[in-house]
Amino acid sequence: MTASTPSATQPPAFATASRNHYRAAVLAAKENLRISADHLAGLAAECGIKAILADFLGSQLNTRNRLVNDEVATWVKKKGAPGVREWRPQEHGHLPELWEHLTAVAHRRRGGGAGALFTQLIWKNPFAGWDVAGRYCDGTAITDAEVDRHLKAAYDLIAAHEQAGILGTRTRA
């Protein structure tokens, strides 16, 4: 038996992953698998937001292969320099905080182009209170209404990403 060789890490394909998670969430919802449906809807939305941030709002992959945007930054302690702080972009992490990153970047660009297209999504965070750890729950706290709300939000993000692509508002190739 020979040892496998590790493959190079592929760059994230956020838009493709978003559509895939969404389709799986819809299938799970049809089978009344609320835990899976809600979890997958959240992942679909998370990937959809990251696709929007990367493809239309200027976020870029850092050396850790995670998205960052200079418009979402914070003061942090500088390594090797006690008492010195530096302004550093935050990585785009997970819902529900990720929705706030979308809000911050799109709000600053609402005057036209991609920002204006996405501001319609940011009025209210449908994932406020959502936690990826919900995948470990027994399902009794997840309502059909929540699953429907999360599926709609994921769908809206995917549709907005596709519409922006059609309108040609990409920030990178």
Side-chain angles (χ1 to χ4, degrees):
M1 185 168 173
T2 59
S4 64
T5 56
S7 61
T9 302
Q10 300 241 347
F14 296 118
T16 301
S18 180
R19 291 187 303 271
N20 184 58
H21 291 312
Y22 177 78
R23 286 192 304 269
V26 169
L27 291 173
K30 286 180 182 175
E31 294 297 322
N32 201 28
L33 301 169
R34 281 195 311 258
I35 297 168
S36 297
D38 195 57
H39 177 69
L40 291 165
L43 293 179
E46 187 173 293
C47 291
I49 291 170
K50 289 181 179 182
I52 289 168
L53 288 165
D55 294 339
F56 304 107
L57 297 177
S59 294
Q60 298 179 359
L61 293 174
N62 65 12
T63 57
R64 295 169 19 122
N65 216 27
R66 299 204 178 140
L67 283 178
V68 295
N69 191 306
D70 288 337
E71 295 180 40
V72 183
T74 188
W75 288 101
V76 295
K77 293 179 183 178
K78 188 172 182 177
K79 290 182 180 178
V84 177
R85 293 165 38 101
E86 63 183 347
W87 189 247
R88 188 179 309 154
Q90 289 180 297
E91 292 180 347
H92 296 311
H94 305 289
L95 286 170
E97 294 82 14
L98 180 61
W99 195 275
E100 305 312 320
H101 289 205
L102 173 63
T103 300
V105 177
H107 182 67
R108 287 185 181 99
R109 298 172 189 217
R110 68 177 177 222
L117 176 63
F118 301 122
T119 54
Q120 64 184 325
L121 296 171
I122 62 176
W123 296 115
K124 186 175 180 183
N125 182 350
F127 289 92
W130 185 89
D131 189 336
V132 72
R135 68 185 182 265
Y136 303 124
C137 74
D138 65 3
T140 57
I142 300 172
T143 66
D144 289 336
E146 283 179 300
V147 172
D148 290 345
R149 184 176 70 243
H150 295 156
L151 283 170
K152 181 184 180 324
Y155 178 87
D156 290 346
L157 288 161
I158 293 166
H161 182 273
E162 290 179 5
Q163 182 179 10
I166 291 167
L167 295 174
T169 57
R170 283 194 182 274
T171 58
R172 63 184 179 91

